[in-house]
Structures are given as structure tokens and as C-alpha cells.
Amino acid sequence: YMGLQERVRPFPQVDNQGGSKCCIGFDDQMLLHGGGSRHPECPERILVIWNRLVDQGLAEQCKWVHGRMATYDELARAHTPEHIQNVFDTAKGKIYPDDVDTECNIHTSQAARLAAGILVEITLNVVRGFCENGFAVIRPPGHHATQDQAMGFCFFNNVAVAARAAQFEPNVSKVMIIDWDVHHGNGTEDIFYDDPSVLFFSVHGYGEGDFYPGTGHLDRLGVGKGEGYNINVPWPCFGVGDDENIKLFQKVVVPVAKEFSPDLVIISAGFDSMRGDPLGQMNISPSGYRIILSMIQDAVCDGRVVLALEGGYNLKVIPNAAEACLATLLGQPYTEESQPEPSQIDVQAECDQMIETVIQKIQPYWPNAFPKPPNDISNEIVVLLDNE
């Protein structure tokens, strides 16, 4: 681990702390967490991303948020006291959770608090008007962590903690969380499932419900006052690429976002939905992420968008996705070395059907986003005549 810290590029000494468009966060102490280089969620993930952003001259154009740990009160807005204490106790050697996939060590508590704290600090910079947008290069990821349980490489739900922190600001009441990680954000869904002030949208691999974590069915719409504010798009197949995701954002995400009209958008930016990921089996390119990110920036809340790194396990390709996203946040062009690959015809057809199914499912909750076509009126007239 100490060798990894020595490989971290220093943040460029540029005096742009007051006037940058984008806020960026990173801390090399997060490299110390976890089970090592053989684990998919390895420390090198944030190392290769950070070094790329520095080498390409993008990081120096950002306001740098120095690492700080999330406070107990910040964490307690999204997690139970028992769960918070369990994570804290890993610093004393406690093994938590009892999950062979989610490894911890004595540095896990600090890293998890840094990940959440950095994202909170970036979010507050954005909502207070110091920056337009932000990117948190953080680990461990967070979107699988529920109110009371660590799982799936996640300990604290970073985006949930940040959303709650934002809602304590006077100019933020509604937050939209978009999760494009290939795995369903079950933890984020759990935390906000009955809350109409947070619109959660997740697009993820699902198959027949046998893809980790096995949650995220489109029937999961929320409960109580939160019904309709939890939207899942469970892709039934793999190999889904740029065209399908762009179509989804055009037809579903952007119209719903406009009707919801959030004060802030937080994106669970998992790059395991990218072509070449060993766990994801999807086909998105860096340009694909760039396009859907710019669509959200242009659609709502004057571009107040904050990205939080979630998954992404191919060390050769995740820096490309991160570079494309940060360039987009900075309003700069990004040129991809290779052309995106179109999806197979059967994949396109299955995704088109899923998009239409999702629209039918959520239309009653978002009537302005999906106004009924004129032929629906004639159908209703026929029904009325039949009832006469």
C-alpha cells in the first residue's frame, strides 16, 4: 500500500481555488483500505483514474477538495447507529460485514469516512455556488450499503449521505440520484424508498434476476409518499451499449428529470457498465458516458451535477471513462481513440421493449413527462360507449 501512495501524482500547484467550474476530490489515504490488488475493488482503481486526470491536465483546472472524514451526524442521516459503529470498529480489527466479497482492514473505517466526506464537501461546494459541478474520485464505493448493512464492496452509502447533507442547505429540497453502475443500487433504493424528496433512478444489468445483487425489478416503485419516485430499468440482456442508453436517457430519464425539477443531481458513476469490464458484460464507451452526462447537465438544475465513483474494475479502461466525464464537466471536448461498437440486433430489440415497458409502468406517476398520445383518447371513448 505504501508503494501505491508513492505513485500518486501530486495535485498541481495552481491557484484556481476560487474560480473553477468543477470541484474534484481525492485522498491517497483511501488507498489503504481493503484486501489488496487481487480484489476487484482494489486500491489501484482510484490511483489510475487520479493519475490520468492529472496527466491530462484536467485536475489542475478544478478546485481541489481536501480529504475530510464524514462526521457521525452526516452518516446518521442515512445509516443506523449500529451500522456506523460496526464500520468504525473495523479500525480496531473487527471483521465487518460477514461477507467474503466485502473485505476490510484497519484502514477501512477511515477510507469509508473519507469517501463519504469528500463527496459531501464537493456537494456542498456545488449547492453553495462555489462550483457548477463536481467529481469525487473515491473508494470504497457506496451504493450497495443499506441503512443497516455493508455489502457488495460498500460500507457507507456515499451518495445518500451527500444527498441528505445537501438537503440541509436552504436552497436544496429535491435531489435526483442517477445510478448507471451495472449493478443495481439496492442500498440507495433502501434508504430513499418512501421519500418523495429524492428521485432515485437506476439502470442496471438484471438478466432473469440472477445478476448481483438480484434486486432492481421494475415493479419496485417506492412506497407511501415515495411511490413513483423509485425507477428501475433492469436490462434483461447484456452487451447493452451507447445507443440503448442514450435512447433511455432521451425517452425516460430526461423527461422525468424535467418534471421532477431537482435542485441537484448526484450520479452514482460506476464504470463497470463499460466495454471490457470483467464483471459488467456491458458495452458502453467513454463517449457514451459523456453524452448521457451532458444530457443531464443540459436538462435540469443549471447543470448542478456531482459524480461519485462507484464500480469499474478494468484498470485499463476506467481512466478513459473518468477522463471523458471530467472533460464534459469542464466543458471541454473528448476524443475517443476507438469508435463505439453498435449492439447486436437482438440486444437493441430487447432494450427497446424494456424502455417501452418502463414508460408504461411509470406514466401514471409522471403524466407531464409521458403525455398520452391522441389515440389513447379514442380508446377511452370506445370504452365509455361500451359502458352506455
Side-chain angles (χ1 to χ4, degrees):
Y1 291 129
M2 301 309 294
L4 287 178
Q5 288 182 296
E6 293 169 0
R7 288 163 50 192
V8 174
R9 306 280 198 278
F11 189 83
Q13 298 300 311
V14 180
D15 185 18
N16 62 0
Q17 296 303 288
S20 176
K21 182 174 185 177
C22 182
C23 194
I24 195 168
F26 172 82
D27 193 296
D28 64 7
Q29 294 298 307
M30 292 182 292
L31 295 168
L32 302 178
H33 149 72
S37 298
R38 295 183 179 181
H39 193 279
E41 206 287 283
C42 63
E44 287 89 345
R45 296 176 60 246
I46 59 170
L47 176 67
V48 296
I49 288 176
W50 175 254
N51 285 353
R52 170 69 68 82
L53 301 180
V54 173
D55 291 346
Q56 293 299 107
L58 295 171
E60 68 184 31
Q61 300 176 51
C62 301
K63 177 181 179 181
W64 186 22
V65 167
H66 294 271
R68 65 104 166 159
M69 293 194 291
T71 66
Y72 182 92
D73 287 346
E74 287 169 338
L75 297 170
R77 295 169 189 158
H79 295 290
T80 62
E82 183 180 10
H83 171 68
I84 296 170
Q85 193 59 52
N86 280 332
V87 178
F88 284 4
D89 286 346
T90 60
K92 304 173 186 176
K94 179 184 178 75
I95 303 299
Y96 176 75
D98 184 17
D99 174 358
V100 293
D101 294 326
T102 308
E103 299 185 358
C104 68
N105 61 15
I106 59 171
H107 303 289
T108 294
S109 175
Q110 181 188 33
R113 292 182 70 181
L114 278 169
I118 288 170
L119 183 57
V120 166
E121 204 60 31
I122 289 174
T123 301
L124 294 179
N125 268 271
V126 171
V127 300
R128 290 171 181 172
F130 299 123
C131 293
E132 291 181 24
N133 51 53
F135 189 179
V137 184
I138 51 177
R139 69 180 291 266
H143 71 150
H144 292 310
T146 66
Q147 297 178 64
D148 59 2
Q149 185 62 46
M151 61 178 289
F153 314 158
C154 304
F155 293 85
F156 294 131
N157 195 306
N158 305 315
V159 297
V161 173
R164 287 297 188 222
Q167 289 181 314
F168 267 71
E169 295 294 299
N171 60 332
V172 177
S173 59
K174 296 189 293 183
V175 178
M176 182 176 188
I177 298 175
I178 299 171
D179 190 332
W180 70 43
D181 188 289
V182 75
H183 303 99
H184 178 239
N186 62 295
T188 314
E189 177 179 281
D190 170 72
I191 292 167
F192 298 115
Y193 202 58
D194 61 352
D195 188 347
S197 72
V198 177
L199 171 60
F200 178 57
F201 182 95
S202 178
V203 52
H204 47 271
Y206 188 76
E208 297 180 355
D210 52 355
F211 187 71
Y212 188 87
T215 55
H217 193 276
L218 58 84
D219 286 338
R220 297 276 296 172
L221 293 166
V223 293
K225 293 182 178 180
E227 186 175 348
Y229 293 88
N230 191 88
I231 301 174
N232 287 313
V233 179
W235 292 133
C237 53
F238 295 90
V240 182
D242 292 358
D243 291 347
E244 294 75 32
N245 282 280
I246 292 168
K247 186 180 294 185
L248 171 69
F249 273 68
Q250 287 175 333
K251 288 193 167 187
V252 181
V253 184
V254 168
V256 171
K258 286 182 176 180
E259 182 169 349
F260 182 61
S261 188
D263 303 303
L264 171 73
V265 175
I266 302 177
I267 297 178
S268 277
F271 298 134
D272 45 6
S273 47
M274 185 178 175
R275 182 171 64 248
D277 189 88
L279 302 184
Q281 308 169 53
M282 292 300 187
N283 202 32
I284 303 180
S285 73
S287 294
Y289 292 121
R290 179 186 66 79
I291 292 168
I292 59 177
L293 172 57
S294 62
M295 290 168 66
I296 291 299
Q297 283 185 284
D298 294 342
V300 287
C301 58
D302 298 321
R304 286 190 297 277
V305 178
V306 176
L307 269 65
L309 181 66
E310 296 283 3
Y313 307 103
N314 183 331
L315 300 181
K316 294 181 180 179
V317 301
I318 55 175
N320 302 334
E323 180 186 345
C325 287
L326 184 54
T328 303
L329 293 175
L330 288 166
Q332 298 185 0
Y334 172 80
T335 303
E336 193 169 342
E337 294 181 2
S338 59
Q339 290 298 313
E341 299 176 2
S343 303
Q344 296 179 1
I345 298 298
D346 58 336
V347 170
Q348 296 176 25
E350 287 193 64
C351 290
D352 285 347
Q353 180 59 53
M354 176 54 67
I355 290 171
E356 293 306 314
T357 303
V358 169
I359 290 173
Q360 293 173 14
K361 182 71 67 173
I362 66 175
Q363 193 277 337
Y365 305 100
W366 304 100
N368 294 329
F370 311 107
K372 289 186 177 182
N375 64 340
D376 278 8
I377 298 174
S378 61
N379 290 337
E380 290 174 6
I381 291 173
V382 170
V383 171
L384 288 171
L385 290 172
D386 288 342
N387 290 335
E388 285 295 324

